[in-house]
Amino acid sequence: MLKLKTFIDKLQLDYKRATRWRLKNQAQFIRRLCVLIQEGYLFAQAVSMLLPHHVEKHEEVQQFVDEALRQGKGVIGVFETLQLAKHHLVAIAIAENNGHMIEALNAVAKQMILSQETKNKLIKLLFYPVVLIMFLCLLFLVFRTFFFPNIEKMVTSRTTETDEQASIAISKLLLHVPDALVLMVIVISCCSIICQRLLSRQSIARQLHIFLKLPFVHPYFRLTITKQFSAYLGSLLQSGLSLQASLQILEEQQFQPYVQYLASRIKERVTFGDTLTQAVIFLTVWHNDFATFVEHGEQSGYLGRELSLDSDLLLEKQEHLLQRMLAFVQPTFFVLIALCIVAAYVSLLLPIYQMIELV
């Protein structure tokens, strides 16, 4: 009974976090927060002013925010309370160290807007094909439940030859094509969830090794991890921190385990006397030309600026790659829909063709 009560309490807590305590329009909240801070409001005051406009049960959330501030958790603790995604919290944690909080918050808001636009575009692209596939599944179900049995009786009542029986069997099989496609999507989704759970139990080094071996995944993964590491390390270096101090900050943060692991490995090499270029070449996780950017930055003395520039270039490549992926999604669904329609025509024409031959 105690375990059941604990489970129910956890479900209720998760429900409140997902609904009543959830921060709505996070990008807009962060942009308004930047404006208020620039106008001279303290961080705590600005958050208190904005919460009623973005949270349903803002009184309860305000209590959690006040408690986080009393415990000295700072800006990062407040945003954890407001349930910001962990990959956004890294930039805010770095801003607490380099003092560029306004710039970091604006960058986070921009990233949120980009992610939301991509998500909305994906939903818009998938809405019509998914509705059409559902309609086809319903149509196939009605056809094979009410109409096809009558056609089957008409054909079988006039002949008992094996060819006619085979055509009926093929038609029945073709009428289950939408079911097979839906089942395939469900199986792939379930396998993906299981693989993700199993992967999360592996060490970070093992996860990196697996991602770098996956076809179609490793180019995007290399691009993403290099972009993040370049942006974080470049921001810290541009603020005046030393290389080892910057790597120490990235190693101590808990929000991005991949960045934390890579910073730890590079810090080991740098501590033993290697340059950053040598340490980067030692790891094979990076996107193309990353070592070249690092080497040029070390030679010119503007390593932080070079890394930030590399991050901006990789961000543009990432946006372009996402656009290409989105452009590929809708045609794939329409090909599947075309297969279903062809299967419907063939399953209908085979019995009719047999009936014409019998006449």
Side-chain angles (χ1 to χ4, degrees):
M1 290 297 293
L2 183 60
K3 290 183 178 180
L4 179 61
K5 186 178 183 303
T6 304
F7 179 72
I8 293 174
D9 291 341
K10 185 177 181 302
L11 285 180
Q12 291 176 342
L13 182 61
D14 291 341
Y15 174 76
K16 286 183 178 180
R17 285 177 175 172
T19 54
R20 298 177 182 178
W21 296 347
R22 183 172 181 80
L23 185 66
K24 301 174 183 177
N25 299 322
Q26 294 184 352
Q28 190 180 39
F29 174 86
I30 292 177
R31 285 197 164 179
R32 289 175 175 173
L33 184 65
C34 291
V35 172
L36 290 175
I37 293 175
Q38 286 176 325
E39 290 180 357
Y41 289 90
L42 297 176
F43 175 77
Q45 294 173 335
V47 171
S48 300
M49 290 176 62
L50 293 175
L51 279 180
H53 303 283
H54 292 270
V55 181
E56 182 179 346
K57 294 292 183 180
H58 60 89
E59 300 91 349
E60 299 175 8
V61 176
Q62 182 65 59
Q63 293 177 3
F64 298 143
V65 170
D66 293 340
E67 182 64 25
L69 292 173
R70 277 195 296 269
Q71 293 177 2
K73 293 182 178 179
V75 177
I76 198 70
V78 172
F79 280 117
E80 278 189 283
T81 303
L82 297 177
Q83 304 177 60
L84 252 68
K86 287 186 176 181
H87 59 275
H88 295 315
L89 293 176
V90 182
I92 298 172
I94 291 172
E96 282 191 313
N97 289 278
N98 62 21
H100 298 161
M101 183 60 69
I102 299 296
E103 294 85 347
L105 291 176
N106 280 322
V108 168
K110 182 180 178 181
Q111 189 176 0
M112 285 180 174
I113 292 172
L114 178 63
S115 299
Q116 189 61 43
E117 288 177 352
T118 304
K119 187 184 298 183
N120 292 339
K121 190 175 294 185
L122 180 62
I123 293 173
K124 186 177 179 180
L125 287 174
L126 291 181
F127 179 77
Y128 177 69
V130 169
V131 170
L132 191 55
I133 287 177
M134 293 174 61
F135 176 74
L136 283 174
C137 289
L138 179 62
L139 190 63
F140 273 58
L141 178 64
V142 172
F143 182 76
R144 68 171 180 257
T145 303
F146 297 103
F147 298 100
F148 190 76
N150 295 328
I151 297 175
E152 182 181 5
K153 288 178 183 179
M154 293 174 62
V155 174
T156 54
S157 64
R158 298 190 180 190
T159 181
T160 58
E161 294 182 8
T162 56
D163 291 342
E164 282 70 15
Q165 297 293 336
S167 66
I168 291 296
I170 294 173
S171 297
K172 285 183 177 179
L173 184 64
L174 291 174
L175 286 173
H176 287 279
V177 168
D179 300 344
L181 293 176
V182 172
L183 181 62
M184 183 176 65
V185 171
I186 293 174
V187 170
I188 292 174
S189 301
C190 292
C191 290
S192 300
I193 293 172
I194 293 172
C195 291
Q196 186 179 10
R197 294 289 179 87
L198 293 175
L199 186 63
S200 63
R201 298 179 182 178
Q202 305 294 320
S203 65
I204 298 301
R206 180 62 178 167
Q207 291 182 34
L208 286 172
H209 178 75
I210 292 173
F211 276 123
L212 293 176
K213 295 296 183 182
L214 290 176
F216 306 109
V217 174
H218 71 87
Y220 185 80
F221 181 77
R222 286 179 187 273
L223 191 153
T224 302
I225 199 69
T226 306
K227 176 185 71 68
Q228 291 175 346
F229 191 84
S230 297
Y232 301 149
L233 185 58
S235 176
L236 289 168
L237 291 173
Q238 282 185 298
S239 67
L241 294 173
S242 66
L243 177 60
Q244 289 199 17
S246 302
L247 292 172
Q248 181 72 26
I249 292 171
L250 294 179
E251 185 183 14
E252 290 176 352
Q253 59 85 24
Q254 303 291 325
F255 305 112
Q256 279 281 25
Y258 298 131
V259 173
Q260 182 184 35
Y261 172 79
L262 294 173
S264 175
R265 295 292 304 276
I266 292 176
K267 182 169 171 283
E268 289 177 6
R269 306 284 300 187
V270 171
T271 303
F272 289 129
D274 286 352
T275 64
L276 181 60
T277 303
Q278 293 170 331
V280 164
I281 294 174
F282 178 74
L283 299 170
T284 59
V285 69
W286 312 111
H287 189 263
N288 301 334
D289 299 330
F290 179 61
T292 305
F293 270 91
V294 174
E295 184 178 12
H296 187 270
E298 286 187 317
Q299 291 175 353
S300 65
Y302 297 101
L303 180 58
R305 186 184 300 174
E306 290 282 345
L307 290 174
S308 297
L309 176 62
D310 184 43
S311 174
D312 293 338
L313 294 175
L314 292 177
L315 178 60
E316 292 180 5
K317 288 184 179 180
Q318 188 180 41
E319 292 176 3
H320 180 65
L321 184 58
L322 285 173
Q323 294 297 328
R324 289 173 58 188
M325 292 169 62
L326 289 175
F328 177 75
V329 168
Q330 196 175 56
T332 302
F333 272 86
F334 282 123
V335 168
L336 296 177
I337 292 170
L339 289 175
C340 293
I341 294 173
V342 170
Y345 273 111
V346 173
S347 64
L348 180 63
L349 290 176
L350 279 176
I352 293 177
Y353 178 73
Q354 295 295 332
M355 291 174 63
I356 292 173
E357 285 189 338
L358 292 175
V359 175

